Amino acid sequence: MRFDHKVCKSIATALAKHFDSLYYVDIETSAYKEFISSELLHKQKIPKQGSDFFALSRSNAEKYVHPDDLEHILNIHTKEYVIRKLSENNVFSTTCSLLIEGIVFHIRHVFILCDDKKHILCGMENIEKEFAEREERSRILENAELKARRDELTGIKNKNAFSEYVDSLNNKIDAENGGFDFGVVMCDVNDLKLTNDTRGHSLGDEIIQKTSRMICNIFKHSPVFRIGGDEFAVILTGEDFKQSDQLLTILRTESNTNAKFRSGPVVACGMALFNHKKDDSFSSVFKRADKEMYENKKSLKSKKISGISSETERLDITISDERKRKLDSLFDALYTVSGGGYVYLNDMRYDYSRWSLPLIDDFGLTSEYMYNAAEVWEKCIHPEDIKIYRDAVDAVFNGNSEVKHIHYRAKKTDGTYVSLTTRGFILCDGDGAPVYFGGIIIRH
């Protein structure tokens, strides 16, 4: 094969910026000559010219092309295939991945029919940067799509995702004429606006997050959506649909317990199941669930368990001897570690606490064991500091996991006020639920 060196040089110069390797191939004989040497394949010492370009390409492909792309590359690197494609268009290309020394490289093969119709230019272009940019664009787009369907505060699906899911359910209802089952559970956080207005939005956000976790932990096999500030919706499917009554009971029981012992979020909820004979759309099921949820909300408020329980209600709850022994054991450990002084520990379920004797003696408390000790201790606090103390205690009993130091003044038995700092903490059970609230009170 004879090459016009001036033509070769001109071609190489023109295409050097575009390709990492370039071959000039005689169509009739398949003989080839290399114009530009690939840095990727430089160490492999591939011949710079030879008698059969297509045999060389197929041989190299078996050595260096990623297994996922090998069959495709072997199919197109035949003389017959290349000539047929170039007869349709003077240029065609394909992409693939190379696997060299354990590293993946992305490249583009380009075939160009020369003006003389007797020769082909075969180039290989490293598109690693282009591939990375495309992957980044895809990742950004995917993240944007996920973000559009994800509630930022809780991480669960949002109202947009809910609307899409509802559309798919309506399409399914129309197409299958009711040949499937689903249910809807509507949930609403009690007194969230009051919390935001009086305690701040940070605590309100924390309650929303805890509510989301509580609902998701109960309805583990169904999609959960936050569809409003304090509203959640669950679409019951599969096992959750089969156990819908039991799961709703669990949710209401846990919510009532949280209200009674101030140990977590209080949630009103209602449920409705798709009726094949009566319901022609998702909306009718949703409305029934929503109506039942509001009935449950009224019931919670009428029982006065939506917020802080009254002293009478708490006094009706008697702590067991076994539970009291456990409180004593933990208190003794706390007292030893603290080195004595002002120490207390409260069983949050029963609002029953033990206080150290120095506290009893210095502030004239009635006993080292007390129900509703927060209100008893509050009588010792300076009137100007009572709000600070109440806000901190209420935050703990309403499920706030962060206990901040409380600074206030308290009156001793001799009538003088002293400055105190309570360093509080919460002890949780194996499931992460708060069980004990304790603290060390430091006198300044």
Side-chain angles (χ1 to χ4, degrees):
M1 175 183 181
R2 295 185 62 186
F3 295 94
D4 186 324
H5 291 289
K6 290 184 179 180
V7 173
C8 292
K9 184 176 180 180
S10 176
I11 292 173
T13 301
L15 299 179
K17 294 181 179 180
H18 298 281
F19 295 105
D20 296 275
S21 70
L22 187 66
Y23 293 90
Y24 188 60
V25 183
D26 186 299
I27 295 177
E28 182 178 352
T29 66
S30 299
Y32 70 90
K33 179 179 177 64
E34 180 186 73
F35 284 170
I36 303 171
S37 176
S38 168
E39 292 185 10
L40 291 177
L41 302 176
H42 179 71
K43 296 180 180 179
Q44 279 61 42
K45 297 181 180 179
I46 297 172
K48 294 183 177 298
Q49 60 184 16
S51 59
D52 192 338
F53 172 79
F54 298 101
L56 173 72
S57 296
R58 292 170 65 83
S59 175
N60 286 341
E62 292 177 347
K63 295 177 183 177
Y64 309 121
V65 173
H66 194 282
D68 292 346
D69 296 333
L70 180 58
E71 182 179 358
H72 168 66
I73 293 300
L74 290 177
N75 288 336
I76 69 171
H77 277 76
T78 65
K79 184 175 181 177
E80 294 76 14
Y81 183 89
V82 171
I83 290 175
R84 178 168 62 82
K85 291 294 291 183
L86 290 175
S87 67
E88 300 169 359
N89 194 333
N90 290 341
V91 179
F92 83 91
S93 65
T94 188
T95 59
C96 73
S97 301
L98 302 183
L99 184 60
I100 301 175
E101 297 179 353
I103 302 175
V104 176
F105 300 91
H106 299 89
I107 64 168
R108 178 183 292 113
H109 287 284
V110 181
F111 298 87
I112 304 171
L113 181 64
C114 295
D115 290 341
D116 63 8
K117 308 297 183 182
K118 295 180 180 180
H119 297 90
I120 302 170
L121 289 173
C122 301
M124 185 177 74
E125 181 183 4
N126 187 335
I127 58 170
E128 199 64 37
K129 182 179 180 181
E130 177 184 321
F131 182 84
E133 290 174 348
R134 185 167 64 247
E135 287 287 293
E136 178 65 12
R137 287 195 299 271
S138 176
R139 184 189 66 79
I140 292 173
L141 180 61
E142 182 178 353
N143 287 343
E145 291 176 346
L146 285 174
K147 190 173 182 180
R149 295 168 177 80
R150 190 75 57 185
D151 179 58
E152 187 174 352
L153 179 62
T154 63
I156 65 174
K157 297 177 177 64
N158 64 10
K159 191 172 183 179
N160 291 336
F162 179 71
S163 297
E164 292 178 359
Y165 200 97
V166 169
D167 288 342
S168 68
L169 276 178
N170 281 328
N171 291 335
K172 199 171 182 180
I173 291 172
D174 293 339
E176 300 188 19
N177 195 26
F180 66 100
D181 295 311
F182 73 89
V184 179
V185 176
M186 284 295 298
C187 303
D188 181 275
V189 183
N190 266 23
D191 298 324
L192 183 65
K193 184 178 186 304
L194 179 63
T195 300
N196 286 334
D197 291 344
T198 60
R199 308 279 299 284
H201 285 269
S202 59
L203 179 58
D205 288 349
E206 187 171 338
I207 292 173
I208 286 290
Q209 291 169 331
K210 289 184 177 182
T211 301
S212 173
R213 289 195 294 270
M214 182 172 76
I215 296 172
C216 290
N217 286 338
I218 293 173
F219 300 99
K220 296 180 180 179
H221 306 289
S222 299
V224 180
F225 306 84
R226 184 185 176 201
I227 61 174
D230 57 358
E231 288 188 326
F232 294 80
V234 184
I235 309 298
L236 297 174
T237 59
E239 289 300 314
D240 287 354
F241 178 85
K242 296 176 183 178
Q243 301 178 38
S244 56
D245 290 333
Q246 298 95 309
L247 294 177
L248 186 68
T249 299
I250 291 172
L251 177 58
R252 286 181 171 173
T253 300
E254 187 167 339
S255 181
N256 288 344
T257 301
N258 288 344
K260 195 170 188 179
F261 302 117
R262 297 185 291 182
S263 56
V266 181
V267 180
C269 55
M271 181 179 73
L273 303 181
F274 176 59
N275 187 314
H276 302 266
K277 297 180 180 179
K278 297 181 179 179
D279 297 320
D280 59 358
S281 69
F282 176 87
S283 176
S284 58
V285 187
F286 179 87
K287 288 178 180 177
R288 290 202 307 275
D290 198 48
K291 182 179 179 181
E292 185 177 316
M293 183 266 289
Y294 275 104
E295 291 299 319
N296 181 235
K297 193 176 187 71
K298 283 192 265 182
S299 174
L300 286 171
K301 287 184 179 295
S302 68
K303 292 177 183 177
K304 297 181 181 180
I305 62 171
S306 61
I308 302 173
S309 301
S310 69
E311 181 178 356
T312 302
E313 286 175 324
R314 288 195 292 269
L315 289 174
D316 289 338
I317 305 168
T318 304
I319 190 169
S320 65
D321 290 339
E322 181 182 355
R323 190 96 176 188
K324 185 178 177 182
R325 284 194 294 270
K326 187 171 183 180
L327 176 69
D328 284 338
S329 176
L330 291 171
F331 178 88
D332 291 341
L334 173 62
Y335 193 77
T336 301
V337 171
S338 67
Y342 298 163
V343 177
Y344 69 92
L345 186 65
N346 180 283
D347 186 318
M348 296 175 66
R349 180 170 184 180
Y350 296 92
D351 200 356
Y352 182 84
S353 58
R354 181 178 172 184
W355 295 64
S356 64
L357 291 176
L359 270 170
I360 305 299
D361 295 338
D362 288 353
F363 295 93
L365 301 179
T366 56
S367 171
E368 63 178 312
Y369 293 101
M370 290 181 285
Y371 286 101
N372 190 28
E375 292 185 16
V376 176
W377 178 241
E378 187 177 293
K379 295 175 182 177
C380 301
I381 297 175
H382 195 289
E384 294 178 359
D385 297 340
I386 285 179
K387 186 178 186 304
I388 297 173
Y389 176 77
R390 285 178 179 172
D391 287 348
V393 172
D394 286 350
V396 171
F397 278 88
N398 279 301
N400 188 357
S401 60
E402 180 184 4
V403 182
K404 298 180 179 178
H405 293 349
I406 314 170
H407 306 286
Y408 56 93
R409 292 161 290 175
K411 186 167 64 173
K412 296 178 63 178
T413 54
D414 62 7
T416 61
Y417 281 95
V418 292
S419 295
L420 303 176
T421 296
T422 296
R423 295 180 177 176
F425 62 87
I426 290 177
L427 297 178
C428 299
D429 62 16
D431 296 324
V435 181
Y436 295 96
F437 169 49
I440 300 171
I441 301 176
I442 301 171
R443 176 179 170 179
H444 300 295

